[in-house]
Amino acid sequence: MKAKMLFAVFFLMVFANGLFSQNDRKLEVTVAYERQDGRGSNQYAVWIEDNAGKLVKTLYVTRFTAEGGYVSRPGCTPQWVEKADAKNLSKEQVDAITGATPQTGNHTYTWDLTDTNGNKVADGEYTFLVQGTYNYPDHQVLFKGNVHLATPEEVRIETTPEFSSDEAENKEMIKEVTAKYTK
């Protein structure tokens, strides 16, 4: 009887450990941000897309942009606005993904490997994106990186910025974007 009880406890511990470790997987996207002066700067969004380029989940967007700033300033994170279908987001959806424009420093946004509806996503390749508007109206920076959720070990992902223009003013708004996938 004691042996059966020990076996049952052991089995439950192994099962629970597997269950919880699967749920502990995450992707942390860190944005090195420096607040800028200037009209239309300091707007950015962080989101996840699947390998077909479809939005899976928005992790963060500045409140000004998500609450309609993209209407008065169409150059505010235009790729996120299009992917997220921003004009059709409800107030609750906007509240769930927005925050005030952050202070200078490193800011980490965590993806729990769920979609917008809270459903776990399938293993596969995903892209994380960070788009910032650094000098309105036409100056954006885009960082993107790929992560494969079946990767068996922790992975650190570096990105390279893609600028929409060579203009230098406020170009240091987002200095670096890195990500860490933890399995």
Side-chain angles (χ1 to χ4, degrees), residues 16-26 112-113 120 123:
N17 185 42
L19 183 65
F20 290 120
S21 65
Q22 181 179 11
N23 292 336
D24 288 343
R25 297 186 309 162
K26 64 185 173 189
D112 60 0
L113 310 187
K120 286 287 185 190
D123 280 350

Tab-separated table of all heavy atoms in Angstrom, residues 16-26 112-113 120 123:
chain	number	residue	atom	x	y	z
A	16	ALA	N	2.724	16.951	-13.001
A	16	ALA	CA	2.566	18.374	-12.689
A	16	ALA	C	3.778	19.163	-13.158
A	16	ALA	O	3.642	20.265	-13.699
A	16	ALA	CB	2.348	18.568	-11.190
A	17	ASN	N	4.963	18.616	-12.984
A	17	ASN	CA	6.166	19.304	-13.436
A	17	ASN	C	6.142	19.494	-14.943
A	17	ASN	O	6.461	20.574	-15.445
A	17	ASN	CB	7.421	18.536	-13.004
A	17	ASN	CG	8.687	19.283	-13.350
A	17	ASN	OD1	8.751	20.489	-13.178
A	17	ASN	ND2	9.683	18.561	-13.837
A	18	GLY	N	5.758	18.490	-15.680
A	18	GLY	CA	5.654	18.608	-17.138
A	18	GLY	C	4.600	19.614	-17.539
A	18	GLY	O	4.798	20.415	-18.438
A	19	LEU	N	3.490	19.604	-16.850
A	19	LEU	CA	2.404	20.520	-17.145
A	19	LEU	C	2.831	21.957	-16.876
A	19	LEU	O	2.653	22.844	-17.700
A	19	LEU	CB	1.176	20.153	-16.299
A	19	LEU	CG	-0.085	20.972	-16.521
A	19	LEU	CD1	-0.602	20.745	-17.942
A	19	LEU	CD2	-1.131	20.573	-15.506
A	20	PHE	N	3.429	22.201	-15.724
A	20	PHE	CA	3.816	23.560	-15.377
A	20	PHE	C	4.990	24.040	-16.199
A	20	PHE	O	5.052	25.194	-16.571
A	20	PHE	CB	4.119	23.681	-13.878
A	20	PHE	CG	2.889	23.576	-13.031
A	20	PHE	CD1	2.758	22.578	-12.096
A	20	PHE	CD2	1.847	24.473	-13.200
A	20	PHE	CE1	1.616	22.479	-11.327
A	20	PHE	CE2	0.699	24.379	-12.438
A	20	PHE	CZ	0.584	23.374	-11.498
A	21	SER	N	5.935	23.169	-16.495
A	21	SER	CA	7.082	23.618	-17.280
A	21	SER	C	6.644	24.009	-18.689
A	21	SER	O	7.182	24.931	-19.270
A	21	SER	CB	8.183	22.560	-17.325
A	21	SER	OG	7.735	21.419	-18.014
A	22	GLN	N	5.642	23.338	-19.231
A	22	GLN	CA	5.139	23.698	-20.552
A	22	GLN	C	4.508	25.088	-20.494
A	22	GLN	O	4.642	25.878	-21.404
A	22	GLN	CB	4.115	22.670	-21.028
A	22	GLN	CG	3.582	22.979	-22.414
A	22	GLN	CD	2.582	21.952	-22.878
A	22	GLN	OE1	2.121	21.115	-22.117
A	22	GLN	NE2	2.244	22.014	-24.137
A	23	ASN	N	3.831	25.382	-19.395
A	23	ASN	CA	3.177	26.671	-19.261
A	23	ASN	C	4.154	27.790	-18.916
A	23	ASN	O	3.799	28.950	-18.990
A	23	ASN	CB	2.072	26.596	-18.201
A	23	ASN	CG	0.926	25.724	-18.662
A	23	ASN	OD1	0.723	25.549	-19.855
A	23	ASN	ND2	0.194	25.160	-17.738
A	24	ASP	N	5.372	27.458	-18.510
A	24	ASP	CA	6.354	28.465	-18.148
A	24	ASP	C	7.112	29.003	-19.350
A	24	ASP	O	7.913	29.919	-19.209
A	24	ASP	CB	7.357	27.899	-17.133
A	24	ASP	CG	6.729	27.707	-15.769
A	24	ASP	OD1	5.662	28.295	-15.513
A	24	ASP	OD2	7.304	26.972	-14.962
A	25	ARG	N	6.895	28.457	-20.512
A	25	ARG	CA	7.583	28.950	-21.698
A	25	ARG	C	7.143	30.387	-21.953
A	25	ARG	O	5.973	30.733	-21.775
A	25	ARG	CB	7.272	28.079	-22.910
A	25	ARG	CG	7.758	26.666	-22.762
A	25	ARG	CD	7.587	25.851	-24.011
A	25	ARG	NE	6.226	25.916	-24.548
A	25	ARG	CZ	5.902	25.584	-25.786
A	25	ARG	NH1	6.821	25.157	-26.625
A	25	ARG	NH2	4.662	25.656	-26.202
A	26	LYS	N	8.097	31.221	-22.387
A	26	LYS	CA	7.753	32.612	-22.651
A	26	LYS	C	8.806	33.249	-23.540
A	26	LYS	O	9.930	32.746	-23.662
A	26	LYS	CB	7.615	33.391	-21.350
A	26	LYS	CG	8.908	33.477	-20.560
A	26	LYS	CD	8.704	34.144	-19.221
A	26	LYS	CE	9.990	34.054	-18.407
A	26	LYS	NZ	9.798	34.479	-17.054
A	112	ASP	N	3.319	35.265	-23.328
A	112	ASP	CA	3.067	33.991	-22.653
A	112	ASP	C	2.677	32.875	-23.622
A	112	ASP	O	2.167	31.835	-23.209
A	112	ASP	CB	1.991	34.162	-21.585
A	112	ASP	CG	0.663	34.642	-22.166
A	112	ASP	OD1	0.549	34.857	-23.391
A	112	ASP	OD2	-0.293	34.816	-21.372
A	113	LEU	N	2.915	33.084	-24.895
A	113	LEU	CA	2.642	32.118	-25.968
A	113	LEU	C	1.152	31.845	-26.138
A	113	LEU	O	0.730	30.750	-26.501
A	113	LEU	CB	3.418	30.812	-25.776
A	113	LEU	CG	4.915	30.952	-25.503
A	113	LEU	CD1	5.588	29.593	-25.500
A	113	LEU	CD2	5.599	31.885	-26.463
A	120	LYS	N	-3.502	29.080	-26.104
A	120	LYS	CA	-2.105	28.720	-26.350
A	120	LYS	C	-1.893	28.554	-27.853
A	120	LYS	O	-2.742	27.988	-28.540
A	120	LYS	CB	-1.729	27.407	-25.644
A	120	LYS	CG	-1.566	27.561	-24.148
A	120	LYS	CD	-0.298	28.291	-23.823
A	120	LYS	CE	-0.087	28.342	-22.322
A	120	LYS	NZ	0.997	29.237	-21.956
A	123	ASP	N	3.231	25.108	-31.484
A	123	ASP	CA	4.664	25.242	-31.724
A	123	ASP	C	4.866	25.607	-33.190
A	123	ASP	O	4.083	25.237	-34.048
A	123	ASP	CB	5.399	23.934	-31.413
A	123	ASP	CG	5.639	23.749	-29.924
A	123	ASP	OD1	5.406	24.700	-29.144
A	123	ASP	OD2	6.066	22.650	-29.530
